[in-house]
């Protein structure tokens, strides 16, 4: 019958998420908060879609999504939190935008694409129990994922929540710390063990105090029984103080492979003077250069918590491979390099695979790639225009042909990073714009040995690319020999105060600069710079347009 409402009942994994303190963030800076919310929602929506989920409702900062699998729902939530945690690093703590996420499996009713019922309500209540930047799941979800994901869980017990008649048994998912490790989780059993330990420690301490008091009262040579009691109490206290609390985890990890042996610990050797030891850099997934955000998340989820023996190899173009659970360290290194080489054979970039990490230590033989200062991309409608391979600055004809054949028709997100001598790196089809920008800058900087710049993003030039004059390199006012030494700081200051529009710098025979700033066209900036220079110098010529040094075509 026309107009009849169709209801469909089913079981689904429901994810509920919203931003902690969103109202405060909007009140403090509405425009900036809404811009960031849109960017963060792109990340959230992308991860949900890739995990096979479907967003069925949104309201302001809140998102409700369904998944056919609890495992995929939890894995998606972890990926979202890891990715957004990285983005939040660029902001002070009071301006960070973090989600709380709740997940349950429950009976729901589908009506015109929307979902209703206890499953949705419980997911929303679990989201309210989650930490800022954290994930809270129901017992039903925990039973589904505990043996399938390499993460830890903390039993929060049964919780009374609003508008749900029976208590909800909740578990907290342990999120990764800044050093790549996972936050310790404390279960009821752990608390009980810890309490017993403290009780034992207190009893021994009191015994030691009692014996010590007796010895103090009888400062003369004590009887043997008192000496023995004091010694025993002191030794017991020392043992308890030196013994760390046992690690507690409710996660289920696969057993070690047959024949695998834990690394042996050498016996400490006494030495009158210890030699200085330089600690190796500890592996952190967020700090790995060249690779995609998806690879970083996979490293955090799979590589970081894995036991020895393991290794990770990469090329400067981001082709990479990692292995875990190998029979030895040498086997891990060989396997990671071989897998990386096999993948690099099919890539268009560098095929040189190098070990980046062995175990939990970084062994990469090169320093971090040089990067320009933030922001890496500054959008300016006055200077942005459609990308044209024929107008690509500093690049030779064969490079332009490559860009015309591969970059121009390539799928978004895509970016081109350019070095000062015409070296360039580009990629197409990235999941996220920020990912494409970072990876190309890292790869270009590693090969050029100096910071590169993003000149094109998707289908537009995002820096002023001169056409009236020919770009010959990057412009650095502090070291440009054409500018009088006592005028270079003024050039730096004037250009920093004019971040938008077309900017040009001209100098005369004496090196006195003239400026054409905030122009609406390249010609306007050129004319302004020459006119300004001519008031204080002679034979003026334009030496810089935007970020480039220039000369006549």
């Amino acid at each position: 019958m026309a107009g009849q409402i169709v209801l469909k009942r089913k079981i689904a994994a429901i994810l509920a998420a919203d931003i902690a303190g969103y109202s405060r963030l909007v009140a403090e800076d509405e425009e900036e908060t809404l811009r960031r919310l849109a960017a963060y929602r792109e990340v959230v929506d992308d991860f949900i879609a890739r995990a096979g989920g479907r967003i069925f409702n949104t309201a302001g900062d809140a998102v409700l999504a369904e998944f056919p699998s609890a495992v995929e729902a939890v894995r998606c939530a972890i990926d979202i939190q890891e990715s957004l945690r990285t983005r939040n690093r660029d902001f002070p703590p009071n301006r960070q935008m973090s989600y709380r996420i709740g997940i349950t499996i429950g009976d729901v009713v589908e009506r015109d694409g929307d979902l209703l019922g206890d499953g949705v309500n419980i997911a929303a209540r679990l989201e309210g129990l989650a930490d800022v930047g954290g994930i809270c799941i129901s017992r039903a979800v925990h039973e589904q994922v505990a043996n399938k994901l390499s993460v830890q869980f903390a039993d929060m017990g049964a919780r009374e929540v609003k508008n749900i008649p029976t208590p909800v048994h909740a578990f907290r998912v342990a999120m990764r710390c800044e050093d790549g490790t996972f936050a310790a989780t404390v279960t009821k059993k752990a608390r009980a063990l810890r309490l017993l330990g403290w009780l034992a420690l207190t009893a021994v301490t009191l015994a030691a105090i009692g014996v010590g008091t007796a010895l103090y009262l009888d400062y003369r040579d004590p009887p043997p029984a008192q000496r023995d009691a004091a010694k025993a109490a002191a030794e017991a206290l020392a043992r308890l103080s030196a013994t760390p609390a046992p690690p507690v985890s409710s996660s289920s990890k696969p057993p070690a492979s047959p024949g695998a042996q834990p690394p042996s610990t050498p016996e400490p050797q006494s030495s009158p003077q210890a030699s200085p030891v330089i600690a190796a850099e500890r592996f952190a997934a967020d700090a790995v250069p060249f690779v995609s955000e998806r690879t970083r998340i996979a490293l955090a989820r799979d590589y970081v918590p894995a036991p020895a023996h393991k290794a990770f190899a990469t090329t400067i173009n981001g082709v990479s491979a990692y292995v875990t659970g190998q029979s030895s360290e040498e086997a891990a290194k060989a396997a990671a390099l071989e897998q990386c080489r096999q993948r690099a054979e099919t890539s268009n970039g560098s095929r040189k695979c190098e070990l980046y990490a062995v175990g939990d230590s970084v062994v990469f033989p090169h320093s971090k790639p040089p990067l320009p200062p933030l922001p890496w991309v500054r959008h300016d409608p006055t200077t942005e225009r459609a990308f044209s391979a024929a107008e690509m600055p500093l690049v030779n004809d064969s490079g332009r042909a490559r860009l015309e054949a591969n970059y121009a028709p390539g799928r978004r997100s895509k970016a081109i990073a350019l070095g000062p001598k015409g070296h360039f790196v580009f990629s197409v089809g990235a999941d996220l714009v920020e990912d494409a920008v970072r990876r190309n800058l890292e790869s270009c900087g590693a090969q050029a040995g100096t910071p590169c710049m993003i000149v094109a993003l998707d289908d537009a030039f995002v820096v002023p690319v001169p056409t009236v004059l020919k770009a010959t390199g990057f412009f650095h006012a502090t070291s440009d020999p054409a500018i009088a030494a006592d005028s270079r700081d003024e050039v730096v200051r004037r250009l920093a105060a004019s971040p938008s529009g077309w900017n040009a710098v001209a100098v005369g025979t004496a090196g006195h600069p003239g400026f054409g700033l905030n122009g609406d066209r390249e010609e306007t900036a050129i004319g302004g710079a020459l006119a300004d220079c001519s008031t204080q110098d002679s034979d003026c010529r334009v030496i810089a347009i935007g970020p480039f040094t220039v000369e006549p075509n």
Side-chain angles (χ1 to χ4, degrees):
M1 186 190 317
Q4 182 178 6
I5 298 175
V6 178
L7 300 179
K8 178 183 176 183
R9 188 173 293 277
K10 61 182 179 180
I11 301 295
I14 305 298
L15 179 150
D18 74 357
I19 294 172
Y22 180 71
S23 298
R24 175 186 60 80
L25 293 169
V26 171
E28 291 175 354
D29 191 335
E30 182 178 20
E31 290 188 2
E32 189 261 351
T33 299
L34 293 177
R35 281 196 301 269
R36 285 178 58 201
L37 174 62
Y40 282 26
R41 273 297 307 276
E42 285 185 10
V43 176
V44 172
D45 293 3
D46 181 63
F47 277 122
I48 290 174
R50 279 194 273 150
R54 177 184 74 91
I55 296 175
F56 62 85
N57 202 337
T58 62
D61 61 312
V63 177
L64 289 170
E66 67 164 326
F67 294 82
S69 161
V71 172
E72 291 304 324
V74 175
R75 183 179 284 126
C76 175
I78 294 172
D79 289 348
I80 288 171
Q81 297 292 38
E82 293 286 356
S83 182
L84 296 186
R85 185 171 68 90
T86 300
R87 285 162 174 75
N88 273 328
R89 288 179 177 174
D90 296 333
F91 300 91
N94 67 317
R95 293 301 303 165
Q96 291 184 359
M97 187 178 289
S98 301
Y99 277 89
R100 291 187 177 97
I101 297 179
I103 304 172
T104 190
I105 299 175
D107 185 75
V108 295
V109 174
E110 183 173 359
R111 183 180 66 184
D112 296 334
D114 195 7
L115 298 184
L116 307 167
D118 285 346
V120 178
N121 296 335
I122 292 174
R125 300 309 174 209
L126 288 167
E127 172 263 306
L129 296 176
D131 297 328
V132 176
I135 305 164
C136 186
I137 63 175
S138 66
R139 181 167 57 183
V141 173
H142 180 261
E143 291 171 353
Q144 292 288 325
V145 305
N147 297 323
K148 299 180 179 69
L149 297 177
S150 298
V151 293
Q152 298 178 348
F153 303 92
D155 189 345
M156 300 171 66
R159 297 296 187 95
E160 298 281 349
V161 293
K162 184 179 178 181
N163 295 334
I164 303 297
T166 58
V168 176
H169 198 125
F171 290 80
R172 181 183 295 112
V173 179
M175 300 304 296
R176 193 160 53 91
C177 302
E178 291 294 329
D179 62 358
T181 61
F182 284 86
T185 56
V186 181
T187 63
K188 292 179 178 179
K189 182 178 179 181
R191 294 190 184 96
L193 289 173
R194 189 172 295 176
L195 178 60
L196 289 174
W198 279 109
L199 290 173
L201 179 60
T202 303
V204 173
T205 304
L206 291 174
I209 293 173
V211 172
T213 302
L215 290 175
Y216 174 75
L217 293 175
D218 188 0
Y219 59 89
R220 295 166 296 181
D221 192 20
Q226 285 187 347
R227 286 200 305 267
D228 294 341
K231 182 179 179 181
E235 290 174 351
L237 177 59
R239 284 196 302 272
L240 279 174
S241 301
T243 303
V248 179
S249 170
S250 61
S251 66
S252 175
K253 296 186 178 180
S257 57
Q261 298 294 328
S264 58
T265 303
E267 291 294 329
Q269 298 181 2
S270 59
S271 167
Q273 183 175 0
S275 12
V277 176
I278 300 176
E281 180 185 350
R282 185 175 179 82
F283 178 83
D286 288 345
V288 177
F290 314 129
V291 301
S292 68
E293 187 71 10
R294 187 183 300 186
T295 299
R296 285 178 161 186
I297 291 171
L299 287 166
R301 185 180 60 218
D302 302 328
Y303 183 87
V304 170
H309 299 283
K310 57 185 178 181
F312 168 63
T314 186
T315 71
I316 59 175
N317 292 98
V319 177
S320 64
Y322 62 86
V323 295
T324 62
Q326 301 296 301
S327 59
S328 67
E329 184 177 284
E330 292 302 317
K333 292 192 286 187
L337 284 171
E338 180 57 28
Q339 289 188 25
C340 179
R341 289 182 187 123
Q342 290 177 3
R343 295 174 183 176
E345 287 296 321
T346 61
S347 73
N348 294 322
S350 171
R351 299 183 180 182
K352 182 183 179 183
C353 288
E354 297 181 274
L355 287 170
Y356 182 87
V358 177
D360 294 318
S361 298
V362 175
V363 297
F364 197 55
H366 313 289
S367 58
K368 295 291 176 65
L371 294 173
L374 292 169
W376 292 334
V377 176
R378 181 183 284 116
H379 292 285
D380 183 355
T382 307
T383 58
E384 283 189 21
R385 56 192 176 86
F387 171 79
S388 169
E391 296 176 356
M392 181 70 183
L394 308 184
V395 175
N396 58 28
D397 290 341
S398 63
R400 293 191 178 102
R402 282 178 54 209
L403 291 171
E404 181 65 32
N406 300 297
Y407 181 83
R411 182 172 61 87
R412 298 185 177 191
S413 294
K414 54 185 179 179
I416 305 173
L418 176 69
K421 296 183 179 180
H423 177 83
F424 67 93
V425 174
F426 70 94
S427 65
V428 301
D431 293 328
L432 301 169
V433 171
E434 298 92 336
D435 209 16
V437 168
R438 173 185 59 79
R439 294 182 64 194
N440 283 290
L441 284 175
E442 288 173 339
S443 181
C444 180
Q447 296 176 59
T450 189
C452 297
M453 78 168 78
I454 295 295
V455 295
L457 189 62
D458 289 333
D459 298 313
F461 284 121
V462 290
V463 295
V465 175
T467 56
V468 176
L469 297 176
K470 178 185 177 182
T472 59
F474 287 4
F475 178 58
H476 298 290
T478 54
S479 58
D480 195 303
I483 305 172
D486 59 355
S487 298
R488 292 171 186 169
D489 288 344
E490 179 192 3
V491 176
V492 172
R493 179 178 55 80
R494 294 283 298 275
L495 291 177
S498 306
S500 62
W502 287 88
N503 295 328
V505 178
V507 294
T509 54
H512 297 306
F515 302 93
L517 304 176
N518 303 319
D520 58 347
R521 294 182 301 128
E522 180 183 357
E523 294 84 353
T524 305
I526 291 173
L530 290 172
D532 186 34
C533 175
S534 65
T535 63
Q536 52 186 328
D537 211 331
S538 59
D539 294 331
C540 293
R541 59 189 175 89
V542 175
I543 62 169
I545 295 176
F548 299 102
T549 57
V550 294
E551 63 182 23
N553 276 319

